[in-house]
Amino acid sequence: MMKLAKIFNFFCMSFILFLICGINVSAETFSNEQYTVNVPEGFSMDDKTLSDFTTFTYNNITIGISTADNSLTGDNILNYTEDEIKDFANKTLNSLTTQAGEGLSIAGHEIVSFSSNNYPALHVVYKGSTSLDADVYMEQYVITTYSYRFTLVFSADTENDLNDDNIKSFMDSFTTTETPLKQTENVSNNFLSILLIVCIIVLIIIAIIIFLYLFKTKKVHRKPASLKKKKKKKKAI
């Protein structure tokens, strides 16, 4: 009985430590209110007690998924201009540099289909080295829906480390609870310029018509009294 009690106490203490410290545990499926993803065998999950950020690790590979509110900003990555994409990538790079030091650079960016659900995603690649790691390769995917903005970051030593069936399986399984936003038609700057010019011309024409009408009306009211009398006399004859 004493041995059984010790084993039970050890189990309870281990469970409490897990709840408090957030010890990594293996997982097959991770799901919350925003998305679901299948985690390959061997990967460990660490939610770090944050509901909007989750990490999965295996050897030198780290996968991070963050979720942000998108209902107020209505951010749609498919409508990003080239300058906006560069600005976004540079902000991420500056954040990485602040955390890990100089050495990383932007290797490229594009719009791709992500997951087996073919979600439109902004894909940005960063690579180089930092003071913490001699070799760093990162792929960032951003998916936007009406309510959420998902950012998935895959980090490893080299690009080949991410060319793995487990990683592809992880990517393919990612499923959101909402349909990602589609591209909306943007009104070109040329069209807006032409529309503005047309509006100005129309306003000028209306102003001229009003001015001419008022001028003629005032001219009639200002006729000399002698002319009016002459007209009356002619009528009498």
Side-chain angles (χ1 to χ4, degrees):
M1 289 294 292
M2 290 294 293
K3 288 184 178 180
L4 183 61
K6 288 181 180 180
I7 293 173
F8 179 77
N9 289 335
F10 175 79
F11 173 79
C12 290
M13 289 300 296
S14 299
F15 182 71
I16 292 172
L17 284 172
F18 163 73
L19 292 177
I20 296 174
C21 301
I23 298 174
N24 293 342
V25 294
S26 297
E28 294 182 356
T29 301
F30 178 83
S31 179
N32 56 27
E33 295 180 356
Q34 296 84 29
Y35 64 88
T36 299
V37 67
N38 294 333
V39 183
E41 184 179 354
F43 277 77
S44 60
M45 179 187 71
D46 185 0
D47 60 8
K48 295 184 179 179
T49 68
L50 296 177
S51 59
D52 59 348
F53 183 76
T54 306
T55 58
F56 304 91
T57 58
Y58 177 74
N59 292 337
N60 67 318
I61 299 173
T62 301
I63 303 173
I65 304 178
S66 64
T67 307
D69 181 27
N70 196 43
S71 59
L72 297 177
T73 58
D75 199 19
N76 187 348
I77 54 97
L78 289 180
N79 290 336
Y80 276 18
T81 64
E82 185 68 18
D83 289 339
E84 288 173 331
I85 291 175
K86 289 180 180 178
D87 183 59
F88 168 81
N90 284 325
K91 285 180 179 178
T92 302
L93 181 62
N94 291 336
S95 178
L96 294 172
T97 300
T98 300
Q99 296 176 20
E102 300 285 345
L104 289 176
S105 62
I106 302 169
H109 62 266
E110 59 183 339
I111 299 295
V112 299
S113 292
F114 185 81
S115 165
S116 59
N117 297 294
N118 296 320
Y119 297 141
L122 171 61
H123 177 216
V124 186
V125 177
Y126 310 86
K127 64 180 181 180
S129 61
T130 68
S131 57
L132 302 177
D133 200 335
D135 297 299
V136 178
Y137 179 84
M138 296 179 62
E139 293 191 17
Q140 181 184 44
Y141 296 87
V142 182
I143 301 168
T144 48
T145 70
Y146 178 78
S147 300
Y148 307 110
R149 175 194 178 100
F150 302 102
T151 303
L152 296 90
V153 177
F154 298 79
S155 176
D157 291 340
T158 65
E159 182 178 0
N160 289 332
D161 292 331
L162 297 182
N163 291 329
D164 182 84
D165 290 339
N166 287 331
I167 302 298
K168 293 177 181 177
S169 175
F170 185 99
M171 291 182 177
D172 288 341
S173 69
F174 182 80
T175 304
T176 69
T177 55
E178 290 188 344
T179 303
L181 296 172
K182 296 181 180 180
Q183 187 172 17
T184 57
E185 294 183 3
N186 290 324
V187 180
S188 66
N189 291 330
N190 290 335
F191 176 79
L192 290 175
S193 299
I194 293 172
L195 182 62
L196 179 61
I197 292 172
V198 171
C199 290
I200 292 174
I201 292 173
V202 171
L203 290 174
I204 291 173
I205 292 173
I206 293 174
I208 292 172
I209 293 172
I210 293 173
F211 174 79
L212 291 175
Y213 173 79
L214 294 175
F215 180 78
K216 288 182 179 179
T217 303
K218 289 181 179 180
K219 191 174 182 180
V220 170
H221 289 304
R222 291 178 180 177
K223 283 184 178 180
S226 59
L227 292 176
K228 292 181 180 180
K229 290 179 180 180
K230 286 181 181 181
K231 287 183 178 180
K232 288 182 180 180
K233 286 181 179 181
K234 287 181 178 179
K235 287 181 180 179
I237 295 171

